[in-house]
Amino acid sequence: TGAISSLQRQMEIQESELRRIRSEKELLQKQLREREVQLQAMSDKFCSLTEEQRQEEAVVAMVEENQNLQQVVTEQEFQLAEQNKLISELQGTISQLQAEAVSTRLHLLQQKQAQRETQSQLEALQHAELQTRVALELISSKFERYRNKIIQATFSVEGIQDPQGELTDDEVLEAMQKIFNERTEFQQMLKNKGSR
């Protein structure tokens, strides 16, 4: 936004300069027309004099005025050429600033779009995280119930001593393994008795 404001200020300055130069150009053109009117007025004045006076004064005055006008015209043409050149340069600068402003606006739009997409992805991730947490809590709850059932079943077997506190997983496994071993031994003993 700051870049766009800066570009717009530069464009306004350039356009103001362009208007000033065009105004000066119009003034020079007006002065040129006024000189041409003066020259025409002098021509009309000489026409009203006698033929002899007209010839004498016209030659001197017209030569002098012609030289003056020629010099003024040359100077004004030079100024006009310089101003036209400056106008062309200013128009090029304004076009460049306009292009930069458009490019900056496009870049800002792209950044906003990327920001919106990132926000959308973040919200999706947060939603997925929440779902995962809920699923994890559900699984943890089921696992805890299942573990409690295993502990209850394991320590309800005759001959297994009740736990004295909170059990670790290794202790539960050890108790279960003990039951399995005893049952395996008992079954083996029954088999041996039966075969005899």
Side-chain angles (χ1 to χ4, degrees), residues 33-43 65 69:
R33 287 193 295 271
E34 288 174 355
R35 291 287 185 177
E36 290 173 350
V37 169
Q38 290 176 3
L39 185 59
Q40 185 61 42
M42 290 192 68
S43 296
E65 187 65 20
L69 285 174

Side-chain angles (χ1 to χ4, degrees), residues 131-174:
Q131 288 181 324
T132 304
R133 283 180 185 274
V134 170
L136 181 60
E137 287 175 6
L138 183 62
I139 291 170
S140 297
S141 176
K142 286 182 178 180
F143 174 76
E144 193 59 33
R145 285 198 302 272
Y146 181 65
R147 185 176 184 273
N148 289 335
K149 286 180 180 179
I150 291 174
I151 292 172
Q152 187 178 2
T154 301
F155 289 93
S156 65
V157 173
E158 188 178 348
I160 298 295
Q161 187 178 358
D162 289 338
Q164 298 300 316
E166 188 174 347
L167 293 169
T168 64
D169 292 341
D170 288 338
E171 288 171 338
V172 174
L173 287 172
E174 186 180 340

Side-chain angles (χ1 to χ4, degrees), residues 38-100:
Q38 290 176 3
L39 185 59
Q40 185 61 42
M42 290 192 68
S43 296
D44 294 341
K45 177 183 172 183
F46 289 136
C47 289
S48 65
L49 298 174
T50 62
E51 184 68 28
E52 187 177 339
Q53 289 174 326
R54 199 167 44 217
Q55 287 178 355
E56 291 175 359
E57 293 181 11
V59 170
V60 175
M62 286 185 74
V63 167
E64 183 180 347
E65 187 65 20
N66 217 9
Q67 289 174 345
N68 291 337
L69 285 174
Q70 188 65 39
Q71 185 177 356
V72 170
V73 167
T74 302
E75 290 174 357
Q76 290 183 342
E77 284 177 346
F78 177 76
Q79 289 179 7
L80 284 173
E82 288 294 315
Q83 288 179 349
N84 284 333
K85 179 182 175 183
L86 185 55
I87 286 170
S88 177
E89 291 174 355
L90 287 173
Q91 286 175 333
T93 302
I94 288 171
S95 297
Q96 181 181 354
L97 290 172
Q98 288 173 336
E100 289 177 7

